[in-house]
DNA sequence: AGGCGTACATCAGGGCTTTGATAGTTCGGG
DNA sequence: CCCGAACTATCAAAGCCCTGATGTACGCCT
């Protein structure tokens, strides 16, 4: 067997998209690993982290900060709320929005989990020179612009 | 309102992980968009593409090629099979493995879908110089090594 | 004041992904 | 010869994520 497995693997992997995918996967895997002891998933951690920076934000805004849809954020928040890590209550001035904040337990858990999560990013950053990190970020941002700017014509960049 | 929204957004986005995540997301979103008319999701397309390069491969190997778990690949293949795009039959020499190949309809659909998918990657590649692409790939691969090489000690690299 | 556009939350449905566990197959060493 | 290691497929349970569609609340503009 093994038709040409090596060759095939290369054919599949050569696309830039594959490299991005694998990097994202590796990142998620590693973060999941360090977050698991706290019973948190990566999206849950991300939501709590954003929430620590912007207490009382609406679910929709939180979703935008975390780059997910409001629906995804809703499910994440629902589980977090069921565990008592966040609290949601109707806003006083906007009957429609639910004000969300970390509970005390949530803050305490986040503090510990954040240390681990930051350590992962740090391991990553430390493996490169500052120039390389800046370059990587710049290239990725450019890729986002190219990809997002095609097709539905958001404009915003041209001119 | 808008506590410091700008600032917050930056705080969330500064981490290298965020850049990778957004790039991957933009890529997925754009690929999904061009694949939608064919009724294919990105994982489905990826599986069919790999299958076109390695006809009759086992589900487990296919999963490895696509960088997903065998379970994920199983669900993908199940839907593809239910649509008659792939065919699975027990192997003659390995009673356990299911030999999977594209059906004629699958081949035809892949040919059309692939053109669109390749065009997306091409738009991406064309936005950079060859040097930049190579650099991006190199940096990402290095990130994968750093992240994957920590914690569970696969070894394999350190002499 | 009434209407329209914007924003928020949520329901419904389809898919992907992961961890954990079960079970049959193949092959090689003891 | 039998057993264990490696591989394959699959079930089950939890979550996440997306598209599409509803219903409601706010604010501005006419």
């Amino acid at each position: 067997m093994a038709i040409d497995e090596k060759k095939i693997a290369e054919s599949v992997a050569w696309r830039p998209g594959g490299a991005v995918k694998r990097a994202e996967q590796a990142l998620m895997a590693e973060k999941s690993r360090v977050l698991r002891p706290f019973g948190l998933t990566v999206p849950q951690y991300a939501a709590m982290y954003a929430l620590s920076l912007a207490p009382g934000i609406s679910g929709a805004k939180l979703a935008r900060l975390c780059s997910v849809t409001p629906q995804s954020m809703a499910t994440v928040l629902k589980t977090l709320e069921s565990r008592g890590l966040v609290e949601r209550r109707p806003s006083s001035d906007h009957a429609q929005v639910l004000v969300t904040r970390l509970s005390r337990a949530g803050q305490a858990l986040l503090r510990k989990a954040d240390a681990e999560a930051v350590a992962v990013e740090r391991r990553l950053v430390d493996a490169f020179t500052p120039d390389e990190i800046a370059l990587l970020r710049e290239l990725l941002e450019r890729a986002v612009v190219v990809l997002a700017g095609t097709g539905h014509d958001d404009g915003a960049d041209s001119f």
Side-chain angles (χ1 to χ4, degrees), chain A residues 10-140:
Chain A
E10 283 168 22
S11 297
V12 173
W14 82 266
R15 306 194 183 194
V20 176
K21 178 189 168 71
R22 279 193 305 281
E24 159 75 352
Q25 242 175 357
L27 192 57
M28 287 283 285
E30 185 60 10
K31 277 195 180 171
S32 295
R33 197 179 66 77
V34 303
L35 253 25
R36 197 179 342 270
F38 303 103
L40 290 178
T41 65
V42 175
Q44 284 163 5
Y45 159 74
M48 289 175 70
Y49 175 69
L51 224 33
S52 75
L53 295 177
I57 205 177
S58 77
K61 283 183 181 171
L62 191 54
R64 282 194 290 274
L65 279 180
C66 295
S67 306
V68 299
T69 58
Q71 292 90 328
S72 296
M73 185 51 68
T75 67
V76 171
L77 289 179
K78 198 157 49 177
T79 46
L80 286 179
E81 187 178 21
S82 75
R83 288 190 211 163
L85 295 174
V86 305
E87 291 160 356
R88 312 185 76 187
R89 45 175 48 191
S91 165
S92 45
D93 47 317
H94 273 288
Q96 188 66 7
V97 317
L98 282 182
V99 167
T100 306
R101 24 181 104 256
L102 290 176
S103 67
R104 283 194 77 74
Q107 290 176 30
L109 185 61
L110 174 62
R111 209 166 19 225
K112 287 185 286 185
D114 192 45
E116 296 295 324
V118 168
V120 171
E121 300 262 5
R122 185 175 191 92
R123 275 207 299 278
L124 183 58
V125 170
D126 286 350
F128 298 86
T129 69
D131 280 355
E132 286 174 330
I133 288 290
L135 190 52
L136 178 56
R137 286 172 46 82
E138 196 265 321
L139 290 173
L140 288 173

